[in-house]
Amino acid sequence: GGIDIALLVVAADSGTMPQTREHIDLLCALGIDKMLVAITRIDLIYPELLPLVEDDIQVSLSGTPFAGAKMLPVSAVTGVGIDRLHAAIVAAVNNLPDANPLLPAWLAIDRTFTRQGVGTVITGSITQGTITAGQSLTLLPQDISVRVKSIERHGTPSQNASADRKSTRLN
């Protein structure tokens, strides 16, 4: 469904909680295999306790695709680590492999609405393939044939849209 990487947030003063493990299990069930870990609130613990927090998190990640995930200690209060976290997120997203635009088009629908004079408008993320104005598609699971009248990408009219990540790189 369009999620390629996860950011797990764990408070340093709490460590992993039951819901942390539930989130990890859910990410595994969704087939997500890349993760960064933000350890927040580091200003609330003694610095020598940080390795214990990291070990606690690694224990929860062991046996999952996230074992060995990059740990990024941060404090929103002091600003420590925020630049490093931002840089790690940008690097991780920019290093994701490109989606294959030759696969059949697949649009994960976020919302639909009707605009007077236009008709039904659908917004979402193309997770694979390419969609072109005028193209016929099938709406699943209803198995309804639909036609793409027009395409806008971030408010700009376009003849097509694809799952190409190169056009949406972060900086």
Side-chain angles (χ1 to χ4, degrees):
I3 301 173
D4 297 306
I5 189 167
L7 176 65
L8 182 69
V9 179
V10 179
D13 60 330
S14 300
T16 56
M17 304 293 282
Q19 64 266 32
T20 307
R21 290 176 191 82
E22 290 172 1
H23 293 150
I24 294 165
D25 291 344
L26 178 61
L27 292 167
C28 289
L30 290 172
I32 298 163
D33 61 0
K34 294 172 189 61
M35 173 186 285
L36 296 172
V37 180
I39 304 172
T40 62
R41 300 169 55 110
I42 61 169
D43 53 294
L44 298 180
I45 65 168
Y46 294 109
E48 57 270 12
L49 294 178
L50 185 58
L52 297 174
V53 174
E54 290 173 340
D55 289 345
D56 177 45
I57 296 168
Q58 283 300 348
V59 167
S60 294
L61 297 177
S62 66
T64 74
F66 314 120
K70 186 172 191 171
M71 304 278 176
L72 299 145
V74 298
S75 169
V77 173
T78 66
V80 169
I82 299 295
D83 289 342
R84 189 168 165 244
L85 174 62
H86 179 265
I89 292 169
V90 168
V93 170
N94 289 343
N95 287 323
L96 289 170
D98 286 328
N100 184 348
L102 301 177
L103 292 172
W106 189 268
L107 173 74
I109 297 173
D110 293 329
R111 65 188 179 113
T112 64
F113 56 93
T114 302
R115 184 177 291 161
Q116 189 172 11
V118 174
T120 302
V121 177
I122 296 173
T123 68
S125 300
I126 301 174
T127 58
Q128 71 179 32
T130 300
I131 297 176
T132 305
Q135 181 177 4
S136 293
L137 300 171
T138 303
L139 179 65
L140 298 174
Q142 297 90 342
D143 199 31
I144 299 171
S145 181
V146 298
R147 187 177 65 81
V148 179
K149 292 181 185 176
S150 63
I151 296 174
E152 283 187 21
R153 270 186 103 160
H154 305 286
T156 303
S158 178
Q159 284 301 305
N160 59 54
S162 68
D164 177 19
R165 288 188 187 98
K166 287 185 180 178
S167 63
T168 57
R169 292 296 189 211
L170 299 176
N171 54 17

